[in-house]
Amino acid sequence: MSIFKQTINNRLRSFGYAFSGIIAFLKSEPNGRVHAVVTPLVIAAGLYVRLSLVEWCVLVLVIGLVWITEMLNTAVEKTMDHLSPERHESVKFVKDVAAGAVLISAVVAVAAGLIILCQRCW
């Protein structure tokens, strides 16, 4: 097999791993399923009010921010649970900080969404 074909096959395999990770996240995490429901609703609302290009960019960025922080939080929590199944104060700290990052990203996303969508309704 040529180096080019091998590189393409490796990239395709890596996409497969990434999609498997997304599916595993959605299957295991209730918050992931909430995001999977809310995201299309927000997109539908944006289509309904005919957002501008800049508004779409902001909306897509904050939606992505929430998905990314939620998935990283899940990875941190699963890793910490694996490394230290017993209750430990430093593990609690790490998990709480990761959860805090999700909360901040969600608050920012809701604020941006409300600013963008509500100003279209007034």
Side-chain angles (χ1 to χ4, degrees):
M1 180 181 293
S2 74
I3 188 90
F4 177 74
K5 284 184 181 179
Q6 185 177 358
T7 300
I8 296 295
N9 285 338
N10 288 343
R11 295 300 61 100
L12 291 174
R13 235 185 336 268
S14 70
F15 276 102
Y17 299 143
F19 285 117
S20 292
I22 293 168
I23 290 166
F25 168 73
L26 291 171
K27 284 181 177 179
S28 72
E29 298 302 312
N31 287 341
R33 293 188 292 277
V34 169
H35 298 314
V37 170
V38 171
T39 297
L41 294 175
V42 172
I43 291 169
L47 291 169
Y48 180 75
V49 299
R50 296 191 170 142
L51 297 180
S52 71
L53 181 61
V54 171
E55 290 167 330
W56 274 116
C57 288
V58 171
L59 211 55
V60 167
L61 285 171
V62 295
I63 288 170
L65 176 69
V66 172
W67 276 90
I68 291 165
T69 54
E70 190 70 67
M71 291 178 80
L72 289 173
N73 177 55
T74 297
V76 165
E77 287 184 349
K78 301 283 186 198
T79 301
M80 297 309 294
D81 290 344
H82 176 73
L83 294 176
S84 182
E86 68 283 346
R87 184 155 169 75
H88 195 278
E89 201 55 37
S90 61
V91 170
K92 180 187 180 321
F93 175 81
V94 170
K95 291 170 74 171
D96 287 352
V97 169
V102 174
L103 179 61
I104 290 170
S105 72
V107 168
V108 168
V110 168
L114 289 174
I115 291 166
I116 290 169
L117 295 171
C118 288
Q119 62 94 21
R120 293 294 189 129
C121 298
W122 290 332

